[in-house]
Amino acid sequence: MIPNSPIFTVVIPTMDRPELFKAALRTVMWQTFEDFEVIVSDNSTKDESRKMNVAAVEEYVQCPRLKYVQPDRWMNMPDHWEFATRFAVGRYVLILTDRLVMRPSALEFLHSQILRYPEDSSVVCWMGPSSFNELSGVLSTTPSRSDTEIIDSKKLLREYTKFSEWQVDDIYSNRLPRMLNSCYRSDLAQKIRDLYGRFFIPVTPDYCAAFLQLAHTDRILYVDRALFLSHGNVSNGRDALLHGSKSYVSTLGDLDAFEGTPIQIDTVINLIVRDFLSVKKLVGDRLDGVNFDMVGYYMFNYREILEIERLGSQRNLKSLYALWWSGVEKL
């Protein structure tokens, strides 16, 4: 860690969504806690987007804590996150994508919990983002039910790999430290990079980072409070639900998106399972005893197909159901 480095680095990776980016940046600059820096990494492909992003950054030109960087070429999501976060010098690193905004006291509250639990705060995770529906004007958030918890990393991962989320309303509401609901200590990230070359690995860099962090920590801190708010209903995950993962996966180069999975079905959960198996192989005995539940795996896939249908997707649902049934018949 660099001497006199800030407590937090907030990294904002953005691409061609200048209006969302401007709002995200504003909420960081309005934080009640001041010991932080901001890294804006502009991966935009349109000149107009870059101009608007630069104009938003220049509103805070007097702030030495703000850095604006650009890759020398367009980058896919895992590469861009890896590029952007390597500029961070803070003790803790948060990723705030341009479709998220921060509550004004988010950093202040996080700092209070880190001071409260200094031995267990290599990774701090919090409740998934609240969401704002631009059409209805309704803000949705899960109420806080408990105080901050210290959670055993392997126990958390074993609970996740049961895939019992298929039984709940929000099938992606989990406690894994997936970057959009967590921050990590920079020395932990450096340790992981020294071992494996990078921190954000394809296909799903948020989930791969979660699995790697849990493999290299004994405990994480979980804060039962939503610190981020989602204000844009666009994401790679939602696009994959509606249209399939081909468009996103094609940006990652020569890669088998479903390598090792029980069925070659194009679902988001199957991408995540592929990455879990890949990380488990990568870290060796660090994840011994953590195995996914086959029944939970099939039920989660089934629930996701139902969600795809509910969203009105034009994908070939008949083919998805047929692939699912072919897998079930082999059990």
Side-chain angles (χ1 to χ4, degrees):
M1 188 166 55
I2 297 174
N4 300 318
S5 58
I7 300 295
F8 296 107
T9 296
V10 180
V11 178
I12 309 179
T14 186
M15 187 184 79
D16 293 327
R17 297 192 290 205
E19 292 301 331
L20 293 182
F21 162 69
K22 184 176 181 179
L25 176 61
R26 182 182 298 124
T27 64
V28 180
M29 303 308 292
W30 286 354
Q31 286 296 300
T32 56
F33 185 82
E34 296 185 353
D35 193 2
F36 69 91
E37 65 166 358
V38 187
I39 307 293
V40 174
S41 186
D42 192 351
N43 197 33
S44 296
T45 61
K46 302 174 183 177
D47 289 341
E48 185 60 26
S49 295
R50 289 183 182 271
K51 290 178 183 177
M52 293 175 68
N53 288 343
V54 169
V57 170
E58 287 179 346
E59 290 184 25
Y60 308 98
V61 69
Q62 302 300 324
C63 179
R65 299 172 295 172
L66 177 58
K67 301 175 185 175
Y68 176 84
V69 298
Q70 294 180 352
D72 58 6
R73 56 179 175 80
W74 179 85
M75 290 183 169
N76 59 45
M77 180 180 168
D79 287 349
H80 187 214
W81 282 20
E82 189 70 26
F83 166 83
T85 54
R86 285 179 181 262
F87 288 92
V89 298
R91 184 182 179 196
Y92 286 86
V93 180
L94 299 81
I95 291 182
L96 184 79
T97 66
D98 51 19
R99 67 183 182 87
L100 297 173
V101 294
M102 300 178 74
R103 294 184 181 276
S105 60
L107 294 183
E108 183 177 2
F109 181 74
L110 274 178
H111 186 239
S112 71
Q113 299 309 292
I114 290 167
L115 292 178
R116 185 179 174 190
Y117 301 99
E119 301 301 319
D120 300 295
S121 55
S122 290
V123 178
V124 186
C125 187
W126 52 87
M127 189 187 296
S130 305
S131 61
F132 178 72
N133 188 310
E134 288 88 348
L135 296 177
S136 67
V138 173
L139 173 65
S140 301
T141 190
T142 304
S144 177
R145 297 186 179 92
S146 64
D147 196 3
T148 298
E149 299 175 58
I150 299 170
I151 302 179
D152 179 272
S153 298
K154 306 309 180 294
K155 181 179 178 181
L156 175 61
L157 197 47
R158 283 193 294 268
E159 283 296 313
Y160 173 71
T161 52
K162 292 179 183 178
F163 299 123
S164 56
E165 290 172 62
W166 71 268
Q167 302 175 59
V168 302
D169 289 339
D170 185 350
I171 56 175
Y172 291 100
S173 58
N174 57 67
R175 292 183 167 193
L176 298 184
R178 295 173 286 118
M179 309 317 308
L180 309 184
N181 66 330
S182 65
C183 64
Y184 60 83
R185 211 166 62 194
S186 56
D187 58 349
L188 173 62
Q190 188 57 54
K191 175 183 176 181
I192 290 171
R193 286 182 170 121
D194 289 343
L195 287 169
Y196 312 115
R198 59 190 294 165
F199 189 70
F200 297 107
I201 300 174
V203 172
T204 58
D206 48 349
Y207 277 90
C208 280
F211 300 145
L212 285 169
Q213 289 171 89
L214 293 174
H216 286 278
T217 56
D218 294 325
R219 297 171 297 278
I220 72 164
L221 211 57
Y222 177 76
V223 177
D224 194 35
R225 186 178 299 191
L227 302 181
F228 288 177
L229 168 70
S230 173
H231 71 133
N233 197 24
V234 179
S235 68
N236 286 320
R238 184 175 176 82
D239 186 70
L241 279 176
L242 289 172
H243 308 295
S245 65
K246 184 177 179 180
S247 177
Y248 170 71
V249 171
S250 67
T251 69
L252 305 176
D254 186 16
L255 177 149
D256 183 351
F258 303 109
E259 180 181 3
T261 56
I263 47 174
Q264 298 282 297
I265 190 168
D266 189 358
T267 58
V268 173
I269 188 58
N270 215 26
L271 294 174
I272 295 169
V273 167
R274 182 260 186 206
D275 284 347
F276 167 72
L277 294 172
S278 176
V279 169
K280 185 177 180 183
K281 182 178 179 180
L282 185 66
V283 303
D285 60 6
R286 289 183 176 275
L287 291 183
D288 278 355
V290 181
N291 301 294
F292 69 84
D293 178 83
M294 194 63 74
V295 172
Y297 167 78
Y298 276 98
M299 292 308 297
F300 200 119
N301 272 286
Y302 185 76
R303 174 68 187 275
E304 186 172 321
I305 298 172
L306 292 179
E307 181 68 7
I308 292 167
E309 188 171 8
R310 185 190 71 80
L311 291 171
S313 170
Q314 298 303 303
R315 296 174 63 184
N316 187 339
L317 293 169
K318 184 177 180 179
S319 174
L320 290 175
Y321 281 118
L323 275 170
W324 186 84
W325 274 112
S326 69
V328 170
E329 288 168 355
K330 295 174 184 177
L331 288 176

